[in-house]
Amino acid sequence: MTERFAPPEADVDRARRLLRDANGIVVLTGAGVSAESGVPTFRGAGGLWRDHRPEKLATPEAFARDPLLVWSWYQWRRDLVERCEPNAAHHALAQLCSDRSDVRLVTQNVDGLHERASDAIGAAGATAVQPLTLHGSLFGTRCTGCGTRSGARSQRVDTTSVDTLPRCDGCGAPLRPDVVWFGESLDADVLETAFEAARASEVCFVIGTSALVQPAASIPLATLDAGGSIIEVNPGATLLSGLASVSLRAPAASTVPLLLSRPSSST
Ligand code: BJW
Ligand code: ZN
């Protein structure tokens, strides 16, 4: 029943033209862009926070209290995401970033699917542009002692017992997932680059985020404050919907490629 999600044609055409004509686009994605790849979102029906309390799994205090529980949950998510593939929205955005130097992709996602779509573009010989990742990477680790990062893809974590959990080769302290938990600061350089791009762009293209988590949710407001506009793709309404020039209640995988294709006429 894909027709049920078909957004009004006039809105689609308007969004396409805004994107085509924009002097600078900042794209902000959230979990919804990966939903059709099979990666669960956080909030809403079927979301991770329906069955799991964030404060028990996604805070530094939770990790200090029960690292085995936290690592078991993250390893389960790593296994799940490894079985998923980038969808048509990830691929269309990777192509857009490759085609236009005035586009910046900023993601809250830790699943690496934008990166894999970009790698596919690079493998085909085009310029591969990697996203700015606000909340880290599901597959990286960081030392709780000395802060050393593992890089994008670390070894599978043995969650048999607390004694089998990974430790730092350098200082021996426990390694943790390299993600940003509640109450933690985002990387200052990454965040500043994202906000700079938002201020410098005429359009903020927001895809698949509930826009509830700060400071990421303020990125579209920076574009708006600088005189630009917001285009939103999301099957549900969000706090941004009322501020958007075009808000398409539609899923990402079919809609994003449609918006990034050529408008039906040149007017
Ligand atoms: C589709 C679709 C389809 C479905 N197509 N779309 C009070 C006010 C303001 C701020 C705060 C506050 N109290 C505390 C804070 C700060 C806090 C915060 O924002 N809390 C709010 C929840 C209230 N923020 C922080 O703590 C941040 N740090 C910070 O602020 O530092 C400064 C500070 C320090 C100390 C004290 C206070 C401030 C850090 C936030 C880190 C967020 N981390 C997580 C986990 C990452 C690791 C992991 O994955 O395990 O990041 S939480 C989770 O939410 C994850 C996501 O990146 C993030 C955003 O979620 P997202 O992507 O929007 O997903 P959903 O599920 O919410 O929405 C999915 C959307 O998709 C829905 O709208 C669907 O409709 C849609 N959808 N199918 C398109 N097919
Ligand atoms: Zn260390």
Side-chain angles (χ1 to χ4, degrees):
M1 292 287 284
T2 45
E3 288 83 351
R4 195 160 60 90
F5 290 115
E9 214 170 297
D11 286 350
V12 170
D13 260 11
R14 182 138 179 270
R16 272 169 160 175
R17 282 174 222 287
L18 279 169
L19 288 164
R20 180 197 60 185
D21 298 338
N23 197 354
I25 301 171
V26 64
V27 184
L28 175 67
T29 66
V33 77
S34 297
E36 290 154 276
S37 291
V39 182
T41 61
F42 292 91
R43 299 163 187 86
L48 290 168
W49 296 157
R50 277 289 161 108
D51 295 330
H52 308 280
R53 303 246 309 269
E55 62 273 24
K56 290 212 164 151
L57 294 163
T59 63
E61 295 75 21
F63 186 72
R65 200 183 313 121
D66 195 344
L68 187 59
L69 176 75
V70 173
W71 261 125
S72 300
W73 188 63
Y74 275 92
Q75 190 53 53
W76 169 76
R77 286 177 60 203
R78 285 175 166 194
D79 289 342
L80 190 158
V81 167
E82 270 182 336
R83 294 192 298 272
C84 298
E85 295 294 332
N87 65 47
H90 298 105
H91 289 300
L93 292 169
Q95 189 65 53
L96 177 73
C97 293
S98 177
D99 291 345
R100 285 180 57 168
S101 60
D102 65 342
V103 176
R104 196 80 215 224
L105 175 57
V106 181
T107 188
Q108 299 168 82
N109 298 347
V110 298
D111 59 27
L113 293 183
H114 284 303
E115 290 87 336
R116 281 162 60 188
S118 177
D119 289 345
I121 296 261
T127 311
V129 185
Q130 294 298 344
L132 286 172
T133 49
L134 295 173
H135 293 162
S137 163
L138 188 55
F139 296 95
T141 59
R142 181 154 35 102
C143 175
T144 54
C146 66
T148 301
R149 292 193 143 94
S150 68
R153 207 152 272 266
S154 58
Q155 281 187 334
R156 197 168 195 289
V157 170
D158 181 349
T159 55
T160 313
S161 77
V162 77
D163 297 325
T164 62
L165 295 180
R167 288 186 167 267
C168 179
D169 288 339
C171 74
L175 297 180
R176 53 164 282 180
D178 192 11
V179 297
V180 182
W181 283 324
F182 284 113
E184 295 186 312
S185 298
L186 284 68
D187 182 286
D189 290 339
V190 170
L191 194 60
E192 183 48 31
T193 307
F195 272 94
E196 255 172 41
R199 287 189 289 267
S201 296
E202 280 184 355
V203 168
C204 184
F205 187 17
V206 186
I207 306 160
T209 177
S210 58
L212 290 171
V213 174
Q214 296 293 349
S218 295
I219 289 173
L221 306 182
T223 303
L224 214 53
D225 285 349
S229 54
I230 295 172
I231 295 173
E232 181 183 57
V233 174
N234 195 316
T238 74
L239 293 174
L240 294 175
S241 302
L243 301 172
S245 298
V246 186
S247 180
L248 298 170
R249 296 285 153 75
S254 52
T255 311
V256 171
L258 189 67
L259 295 187
L260 297 177
S261 65
R262 285 177 189 284
S264 46
S265 75
S266 56
T267 51

